Amino acid sequence: MLLIGNEDPTLRLLVNTVIMGMICGGAFALAALPQAVVGFMVPLIAGSAIFMITDAGPVNGIFAIMFGILTAIIMAGSLLHSKMLIRRVAAELEAREKTSVIELLLKSFEENSSDWLWRIDAERRLRDVSSRFAEAAGTDQKELEGASIQKLLKKLQSLGTAAAKDLLLNIRARRAFKDVTIPISLGGQQLWWRVTGEPCFDETGAYIGYRGVASDVTDTKLAEQRLSYLAHFDPLTGLVNRASFYDLIADHFAQSRSGSCFAVHFIDLDQFKAVNDTMGHAAGDRLLEEIAARFSSVVAPPDTLARLGGDEFAVLQRSGTSTDAAAALAQRLIDASVLPVEVNGDIFRVSASIGIAMAPSNGADGETLLRSADLALYQAKDAGRSTFCFFHTGMDDIAQERRLLGSELASALEAGELCLHFQPLIAAGTGEPAGFEALLRWQHPTRGLVPPSTFIPIAEQTGLIKAIGGWVIEEACRTASSWPEHLKVAVNLSPAQFEGSSIVEAVRSAITEARLDPQRLELEITESLFIAQPEDVLDKLRQLKGMGISVAMDDFGTGYSSLSYLWKFPFDRLKMDRSFVSAIEHDRIACDILRAISSLGRSLGMSITAEGVETEAQAKFLQGIGCDQLQGFLFSRPLPVENMPVYFLQPVIRRHRGEAGAQPDAGLFLKTGNQARSPL
């Protein structure tokens, strides 16, 4: 302070300037240490205060005040600068700590995840390549480090793909992108990467490259492709499925010229259910694969073959198709299907029934055209199967008639419109009735007598056959209980009566309610009964036979495996099919078949019945080969219940007319039959 008060102004100015420079420099030099700033500045401020008190000079006093203010400002500024410096250092330390944590987490993520991180610089060269990235790319880290991203995409055979072009375009435009799926080829395998990235900039805003994450999504992509395939193709045969086939027809209608002709074939395999149910679904699947391969060899592009489900197939025959071309294709499909098929060493034979609809004459849209083809398929099956039919307008009327009959049949039983007629079973040796076969009839209030061939298939399709079949058994047993005790009653059973119902309990209840001797009841079945669940059917038949009921095989000789069923189950009777009987007088092969059946039956201890006998020559031949019973219009048509008393009294009436000495033989009933001969 003494120097400050020196009389020499020059010296005083110099000293003050030096002192002020030392004060400012010291304050800023010690800014990082707040305590040192305080220790340095407080003595100066205190000295200024003392000088101001001890020196009363006006100039020195003013100078001291200014000096104190300046030092105070310098100290405050130094303290503020120190505080800001400390905060910045703390922030930097915190940022470094966060960066370390992030790097640690990213490293852990990459090591333990199926994803990997990637980074490129401003020249689009790979940087900081991780081991996970190198492994996914099938190369070495050192080789990838510094390589251009174009070089990597070229190595992975992805450079020219649309996805890779989109990726590079985004990078050039410095746009962020997400979930870009790139196909790659690695080690001969087709893989897919999903890539996400964003551009990076430094503190000054300068572009420094890209960073992002990538992952292998091959499994997901394959699953998506599989789902897409299943949505459009049949997994068993690889053919177009139902949904895609319907879409193809709709597209073809939309794309075809006005009046353009094309065909749709609906195909259903005959006898397939027998294979599927008796040999198992695995054998059925192999059979379908073989049939699909055969159909594929017949159907050539631009035509399309599809599997609609089960044993149903379809063909879209393209524009320009004529009815002749459609018929030729249908016949080739049938010819391909009828060839024997070997499955697990077993030989199977199936065939195909086909319904054909022509566009646009049979339908102006897909739904109508497919419905027309379906109706034609039903007609083909009714025509005997293993054939094809074209749709015609009358089929709509037939389908409508069937639906109406089905609706009316549902109430026919409750309305008492169903009834039984009984056709005699004549003992071949004596010509006398040994029993009667119960035949179902529908006396419709407006249609009259509806033949069984019309309504029985409808009853089976709608499921009404179970209720109707139960009523037939009950009514037949009740009626037979009033006959002479030596007469039996035969009842036909439908395969549907064995499905999901207790036929054994139904029969037991019927004979108990009617008080009928079980030995007077004979149940007739066909080979089709064994198609579904043969072991279950055989078990139920054994239970019925154990009750004393007779079991007969109807329509024998028309199936393909009758002998196997005769070996599995001891039938009481075989009924020769009417198709053989009607050929007796003009077909020697039919006669030989009938002789063989009769011989087989006798050797197995079974009785033989011939149905459909209409002439004396047929009756004599059948008697000669050893048939036990004869049935047909030669003897009598089926009789309603109210006419049966007259039938029973005929021998008494004949004796009363002086014919008591006549030998009872088939001729006695022949006259009755000739008088009453009429269609069913």
Side-chain angles (χ1 to χ4, degrees):
M1 289 302 176
L2 294 176
L3 291 175
I4 296 175
N6 194 289
E7 294 295 332
D8 188 350
T10 302
L11 179 61
R12 185 169 55 196
L13 177 62
L14 176 62
V15 171
N16 288 337
T17 301
V18 172
I19 292 174
M20 292 303 297
M22 292 176 62
I23 291 173
C24 292
F28 283 101
L30 298 173
L33 299 172
Q35 296 86 350
V37 172
V38 173
F40 178 74
M41 296 299 296
V42 168
L44 292 176
I45 296 173
S48 298
I50 294 172
F51 176 78
M52 184 177 63
I53 295 172
T54 58
D55 191 350
V59 176
N60 289 338
I62 293 172
F63 181 81
I65 293 172
M66 294 176 63
F67 179 78
I69 294 172
L70 176 62
T71 54
I73 292 173
I74 292 173
M75 186 176 69
S78 297
L79 291 175
L80 179 61
H81 177 71
S82 175
K83 188 174 182 180
M84 293 175 61
L85 180 62
I86 291 173
R87 286 180 178 178
R88 186 174 67 180
V89 171
E92 289 180 355
L93 291 175
E94 184 179 359
R96 289 179 183 177
E97 183 179 0
K98 288 182 178 179
T99 301
S100 299
V101 171
I102 291 173
E103 290 179 351
L104 181 63
L105 290 174
L106 290 175
K107 183 178 180 181
S108 176
F109 164 79
E110 193 167 27
E111 289 177 351
N112 298 285
S113 172
S114 59
D115 300 350
W116 61 89
L117 304 174
W118 62 275
R119 187 173 75 84
I120 59 174
D121 58 20
E123 286 74 34
R124 296 194 290 275
R125 296 185 179 278
L126 294 167
R127 299 299 179 189
D128 302 328
V129 177
S130 66
S131 59
R132 179 73 184 85
F133 188 1
E135 179 184 354
T139 187
D140 187 76
Q141 283 181 265
K142 295 180 180 179
E143 183 180 346
L144 281 182
E145 186 68 33
S148 68
I149 190 170
Q150 290 93 335
K151 181 180 179 180
L152 174 63
L153 293 174
K154 183 178 180 180
K155 178 181 178 181
L156 298 175
Q157 301 180 25
S158 180
L159 186 59
T161 63
K165 291 178 180 178
D166 185 47
L167 174 70
L168 294 176
L169 183 62
N170 283 321
I171 292 176
R172 292 190 187 100
R174 300 179 184 179
R175 292 192 299 260
F177 54 87
K178 182 179 180 180
D179 295 339
V180 176
T181 302
I182 302 176
I184 69 170
S185 179
L186 189 63
Q189 287 185 309
Q190 179 68 58
L191 306 175
W192 284 267
W193 285 0
R194 183 169 293 165
V195 184
T196 297
E198 62 178 4
C200 298
F201 304 90
D202 62 13
E203 294 82 356
T204 64
Y207 171 70
I208 59 174
Y210 261 80
R211 65 182 177 186
V213 63
S215 59
D216 188 327
V217 293
T218 301
D219 291 342
T220 302
K221 193 68 176 179
L222 291 176
E224 291 174 354
Q225 290 181 346
R226 178 64 175 170
L227 289 175
S228 177
Y229 177 84
L230 293 176
H232 297 89
F233 295 92
D234 173 52
L236 178 65
T237 62
L239 300 176
V240 171
N241 64 12
R242 179 185 293 270
S244 294
F245 186 73
Y246 286 11
D247 290 341
L248 284 173
I249 295 177
D251 292 343
H252 203 60
F253 266 111
Q255 297 171 7
S256 297
R257 300 185 304 273
S258 177
S260 178
C261 179
F262 63 95
V264 168
H265 302 245
F266 247 123
I267 310 169
D268 186 82
L269 298 182
D270 307 318
Q271 297 92 37
F272 172 75
K273 192 174 187 299
V275 177
N276 203 44
D277 291 340
T278 58
M279 301 301 296
H281 291 286
D285 287 346
R286 285 191 287 274
L287 177 61
L288 288 173
E289 290 175 317
E290 173 62 25
I291 294 297
R294 293 182 182 183
F295 286 167
S296 296
S297 67
V298 172
V299 179
D303 300 340
T304 301
L305 173 66
R307 182 188 176 212
L308 305 184
D311 60 340
E312 292 182 341
F313 294 82
V315 175
L316 172 60
Q317 199 171 358
R318 304 286 176 166
S319 296
T321 303
S322 64
T323 54
D324 290 342
L329 176 58
Q331 190 57 56
R332 290 198 300 272
L333 290 167
I334 293 172
D335 293 342
S337 69
V338 297
L339 298 176
V341 180
E342 182 178 351
V343 177
N344 296 336
D346 294 320
I347 302 297
F348 298 98
R349 293 180 182 273
V350 296
S351 60
S353 297
I354 304 177
I356 307 172
M358 305 296 296
S361 58
N362 298 153
D365 56 73
E367 182 178 354
T368 305
L369 187 66
L370 290 166
R371 178 177 174 274
S372 298
D374 194 25
L375 291 174
L377 173 61
Y378 274 104
Q379 186 69 25
K381 286 187 170 293
D382 289 343
R385 308 193 177 200
S386 192
T387 187
F388 64 88
C389 285
F390 283 90
F391 174 82
H392 58 78
T393 54
M395 291 181 181
D396 273 326
D397 298 333
I398 295 173
Q400 180 64 28
E401 180 69 10
R402 285 192 176 191
R403 286 192 293 269
L404 182 59
L405 275 176
S407 176
E408 294 175 345
L409 183 60
S411 58
L413 184 59
E414 294 182 1
E417 298 172 8
L418 299 181
C419 61
L420 294 182
H421 287 193
F422 295 88
Q423 187 171 29
L425 297 166
I426 304 301
T430 65
E432 295 181 352
F436 295 84
E437 180 179 1
L439 301 173
L440 182 62
R441 296 292 184 266
W442 181 9
Q443 188 64 50
H444 194 278
T446 58
R447 301 173 186 268
L449 196 63
V450 182
S453 59
T454 299
F455 71 85
I456 290 296
I458 296 175
E460 291 178 334
Q461 292 171 7
T462 59
L464 293 171
I465 192 64
K466 293 181 180 179
I468 293 175
W471 176 85
V472 169
I473 295 173
E474 293 175 358
E475 186 67 12
C477 291
R478 186 189 64 80
T479 303
S481 64
S482 63
W483 299 344
E485 294 185 357
H486 68 283
L487 297 178
K488 302 182 71 168
V489 62
V491 178
N492 291 281
L493 296 183
S494 167
Q497 292 177 261
F498 282 75
E499 297 175 2
S501 63
S502 178
I503 185 65
V504 177
E505 293 303 319
V507 172
R508 180 181 288 112
S509 175
I511 59 178
T512 301
E513 184 70 22
R515 298 181 180 180
L516 182 72
D517 185 348
Q519 295 183 0
R520 295 181 58 195
L521 175 62
E522 184 168 275
L523 301 177
E524 297 184 3
I525 65 171
T526 61
E527 293 171 88
S528 60
L529 177 63
F530 291 93
I531 292 177
Q533 301 178 338
E535 294 304 322
D536 181 60
V537 169
L538 288 172
D539 179 64
K540 290 178 179 179
L541 290 177
R542 292 188 185 100
Q543 294 182 52
L544 292 169
K545 191 172 175 65
M547 294 165 54
I549 296 170
S550 302
V551 180
M553 171 71 82
D554 198 8
D555 299 334
F556 184 78
T558 58
Y560 72 95
S561 56
S562 299
L563 295 180
S564 66
Y565 297 135
L566 295 183
W567 173 64
K568 291 180 180 179
F569 183 79
F571 288 91
D572 298 284
R573 182 180 303 278
L574 298 180
K575 294 194 72 173
M576 296 176 176
D577 187 67
R578 66 180 64 248
S579 60
F580 297 116
V581 174
S582 62
I584 286 175
E585 297 176 65
H586 60 272
D587 191 333
R588 294 185 60 183
I589 295 179
C591 294
D592 292 339
I593 291 175
L594 291 173
R595 288 191 185 96
I597 294 175
S598 179
S599 176
L600 176 65
R602 288 196 303 272
S603 65
L604 295 176
M606 301 177 186
S607 300
I608 306 296
T609 296
E611 56 184 358
V613 182
E614 297 187 357
T615 67
E616 292 186 66
Q618 292 172 354
K620 290 180 179 179
F621 174 82
L622 294 168
Q623 286 175 327
I625 65 173
C627 286
D628 301 284
Q629 289 182 357
L630 305 177
Q631 179 184 9
F633 282 173
L634 176 63
F635 308 104
S636 176
R637 65 181 178 84
L639 304 170
V641 173
E642 57 270 20
N643 289 357
M644 293 192 70
V646 176
Y647 181 83
F648 287 137
L649 289 174
Q650 282 184 353
V652 178
I653 295 173
R654 291 177 62 84
R655 284 195 299 269
H656 180 72
R657 290 177 178 176
E659 301 177 0
Q663 181 68 27
D665 57 16
L668 182 150
F669 298 99
L670 175 61
K671 295 177 181 178
T672 304
N674 287 339
Q675 293 170 355
R677 205 174 207 170
S678 66
L680 288 175

